[in-house]
Amino acid sequence: MRTKLFQEIYEWIKSLVIAGILAFLIHTFLFAVVVVSGSSMEPTLHNNERLIMNKIVYQIHPPKRGDIVVFHATENEDYIKRVIGLPGETIEYKNDQLYVNGKVVDEPYLAKEQEEWHSKGLLLTKDFGPITVPADTVFVLGDNRNNSTDSRELGPIPISRVVGKASIIIWPFSRISILEH
């Protein structure tokens, strides 16, 4: 009887250790849960929402325009912003319109907010540029353009500081969704 009890305990401990190791490896190399801090990505993301971040995607291919990325802004703080400029591109904002290499680029995720600001005779995104995005960097902006610390202040973000792509909102349950642009 005693041997059977010890065998059962051993099996439980072994299962828990394996589960712990797998969870550690998945969190370290594949996916992580991140928490949105602040309002800089509203209305797309809200303060205290929980997201699944894909850590491996940028090992396969570089960030794309429209991706919502998590990056090391400082040694102790990560930011979540949207990629609007890629290496080698010249970006500019004029009259609330994004231009990349002189061509208009649609940002459908901003349409409702732009309409609201325009109804007040204001611009959602103040004019800037042209700016040429250096090699191995991306230019990022928060969707809440008038309340975001982003590449307009920080400069282009080295791709080496990009931790991953925000992929899924998992909390609160009422907002569960896949993040597409």
Side-chain angles (χ1 to χ4, degrees), residues 102-120:
K103 295 180 182 163
V104 172
V105 174
D106 190 33
E107 295 180 286
Y109 44 86
L110 296 179
K112 185 177 177 188
E113 295 298 309
Q114 284 177 325
E115 186 178 306
E116 204 173 296
W117 281 79
H118 294 174
S119 72
K120 300 173 188 172

Side-chain angles (χ1 to χ4, degrees), residues 13-151:
I13 291 172
K14 185 170 81 172
S15 295
L16 290 172
V17 167
I18 290 170
I21 290 169
L22 286 173
F24 172 78
L25 291 173
I26 288 169
H27 183 277
T28 302
F29 298 108
L30 301 177
F31 302 99
V33 174
V34 294
V35 179
V36 177
S37 178
S39 63
S40 72
M41 281 300 292
E42 288 182 0
T44 307
L45 302 174
H46 302 279
N47 191 41
N48 290 322
E49 285 184 334
R50 274 38 173 193
L51 313 172
I52 296 287
M53 175 184 60
N54 181 332
K55 290 181 162 186
I56 198 164
V57 68
Y58 297 135
Q59 305 303 316
I60 300 166
H61 64 77
K64 298 175 184 167
R65 184 180 351 284
D67 285 357
I68 298 173
V69 297
V70 178
F71 64 94
H72 297 309
T74 68
E75 195 172 304
N76 300 316
E77 193 170 17
D78 291 346
Y79 284 1
I80 302 172
K81 306 292 177 191
R82 188 180 299 272
V83 174
I84 66 153
L86 301 172
E89 295 180 334
T90 299
I91 59 170
E92 182 174 15
Y93 248 95
K94 289 191 292 192
N95 298 318
D96 233 358
Q97 181 61 62
L98 172 62
Y99 293 86
V100 176
N101 298 328
K103 295 180 182 163
V104 172
V105 174
D106 190 33
E107 295 180 286
Y109 44 86
L110 296 179
K112 185 177 177 188
E113 295 298 309
Q114 284 177 325
E115 186 178 306
E116 204 173 296
W117 281 79
H118 294 174
S119 72
K120 300 173 188 172
L122 301 170
L123 298 177
L124 177 64
T125 308
K126 293 180 178 104
D127 291 355
F128 69 84
I131 297 168
T132 300
V133 182
D136 301 317
T137 68
V138 290
F139 198 91
V140 298
L141 294 179
D143 287 358
N144 187 353
R145 300 288 166 86
N146 289 300
N147 187 23
S148 177
T149 301
D150 48 40
S151 287

